[in-house]
Amino acid sequence: MSVARQESIVGAVEAGGTKFVCAIGSGPGAQLLDRAQFPTGDDPAGVLRNVTAWLQERQAEHGALTALGVASFGPLDLDESSPTYGFITSTPKAGWANTDIVGPLRAAFPGIPIGFDTDVNGAGLGEWRWGAAQGLDDFVYITVGTGLGGGGMARGKLLHGLVHPEMGHMGITRIAGDDFEGVCPFHGRCWEGLCSGPAIEKRAGRPAPDLPPDHPAWDLTIQYMAYGLVNLTCVLSPRRIILGGSVRKAGRLGEARFFERVRAAFRSIMAGYIVSPALTEAGLAEFIVPPRLGDNAGVCGAIALAQAARKNGPARRDGNKSKNTRKTR
Ligand code: ZN
């Protein structure tokens, strides 16, 4: 391995609701040198110990990591002046509320830049660098799995603001005759409450991958999925929507059929209101797409966050506001 390549190695942590995926490398494909995963479970301290130990072992093997990137499920505190910067905040996930996930990494890897953002902004950044959002400065990245989240870019900057977008928790029109109460502990029938994996399982009485293709739960899930995508298109005017996460694989229905049906439902709900070649029947095949990095979108996103942090400035090592380590570009 060349010296130049060793210098570019970063550590990546994709913190998901089901598993933590860790990697080292400098990008997708052959640039991803090693990866491992640990179940998220309900013991954050144990998982974070495993993650830091794995990264330290890889560092011993491959040379010093030049930066770390953490792309996490949320909600997160991304305010660098806040005493709880680097924390997962109000998640309903058992054991994980108010958990400092950047702190243990900062302690284990003192002095190196750490990029920190939502899993979906991270995955979006990865797709922008290497995948389905290349050349696009306005796009949305959605993940639908244990939860439902969205991030992306506007005018070439990752979406941040008051906190970060929480696209999964927008309200969604009720389809006539559907009395499902949803699964979100905060809102019941928000987008996540209607379309996440646990929502499909609760509605259908068995997990999504086991459902026959003609099960009515697919029909409703696809309709609600499309309502959310129409809302996002109306609000953010993205040039593309990348739909990742496990639900889009759609088990026995299949990913290709799932996307076809989501696009058709999107077109029907949009009803021709926004006029763009991207929103025609042919255009939608390129407008609503799966991640090109596939299941590595998240961890490649964490690599991209690490690289952005390295480019943007030194690590934030204490409570003082230092140079930005999270804003990219
Ligand atoms: Zn909600």
Side-chain angles (χ1 to χ4, degrees):
M1 189 182 305
S2 74
V3 172
R5 188 160 174 200
Q6 282 196 4
E7 280 173 359
S8 69
I9 294 173
V10 300
V13 180
E14 178 198 9
T18 306
K19 61 184 188 289
F20 272 54
V21 181
C22 306
I24 61 159
S26 57
Q31 300 170 78
L32 201 61
L33 300 180
D34 203 349
R35 62 176 276 165
Q37 62 188 57
F38 306 96
T40 303
D42 57 5
D43 172 24
V47 176
L48 293 168
R49 260 197 313 276
N50 288 337
V51 165
T52 48
W54 186 86
L55 288 168
Q56 283 171 325
E57 285 161 21
R58 299 290 85 65
Q59 180 168 257
E61 189 180 335
H62 293 275
L65 302 177
T66 56
L68 290 172
V70 181
S72 177
F73 71 91
L76 306 176
D77 187 343
L78 298 178
D79 176 358
E80 292 173 44
S81 64
S82 159
T84 53
Y85 170 80
F87 279 52
I88 294 173
T89 58
S90 56
T91 179
K93 189 158 184 56
W96 284 88
N98 306 310
T99 296
D100 182 4
I101 58 170
V102 171
L105 290 166
R106 196 188 292 129
F109 297 89
I112 75 168
I114 302 178
F116 178 54
D117 212 322
T118 60
D119 47 1
V120 277
N121 265 348
L125 185 62
E127 288 288 326
W128 180 81
R129 285 282 305 277
W130 301 297
Q134 284 178 84
L136 299 177
D137 283 352
D138 306 277
F139 68 91
V140 167
Y141 183 97
I142 305 289
T143 186
V144 191
T146 313
L148 195 167
M153 279 186 178
R155 308 289 294 269
K157 288 192 185 324
L158 288 177
L159 294 166
H160 295 121
L162 180 68
V163 186
H164 52 73
E166 281 288 357
M167 299 179 191
H169 295 270
M170 68 170 128
I172 298 282
T173 305
R174 182 189 294 270
I175 293 170
D178 179 28
D179 58 2
F180 180 55
E181 67 277 21
V183 298
C184 176
F186 289 86
H187 318 112
R189 297 174 39 91
C190 60
W191 200 21
E192 174 176 296
L194 289 168
C195 290
S196 63
I200 301 172
E201 181 166 348
K202 187 172 180 194
R203 183 192 280 286
R206 54 192 152 147
D210 298 346
L211 299 179
D214 59 355
H215 195 285
W218 276 130
D219 223 31
L220 288 163
T221 302
I222 285 165
Q223 290 284 326
Y224 286 125
M225 185 62 58
Y227 270 111
L229 299 181
V230 167
N231 289 353
L232 291 175
T233 304
C234 293
V235 173
L236 288 167
S237 208
R239 295 176 190 278
R240 181 165 289 157
I241 295 173
I242 302 167
L243 187 53
S246 57
V247 164
R248 89 279 167 194
K249 294 180 184 170
R252 293 163 62 191
L253 176 62
E255 182 171 321
R257 189 79 190 107
F258 177 82
F259 273 86
E260 276 168 27
R261 287 178 58 181
V262 167
R263 290 175 191 129
F266 178 99
R267 203 154 161 262
S268 156
I269 295 162
M270 183 60 90
Y273 178 68
I274 297 180
V275 177
S276 163
L279 305 186
T280 60
E281 190 174 355
L284 279 168
E286 295 298 314
F287 183 75
I288 300 171
V289 300
R292 202 177 295 161
L293 298 172
D295 290 339
N296 281 333
V299 78
C300 288
I303 288 176
L305 288 172
Q307 292 170 337
R310 189 178 56 197
K311 193 172 148 198
N312 290 351
R316 179 186 170 283
R317 271 162 269 173
D318 50 34
N320 299 321
K321 194 170 172 74
S322 67
K323 277 180 80 176
N324 254 328
T325 55
R326 73 176 161 86
K327 289 200 180 104
T328 54
R329 294 190 77 203

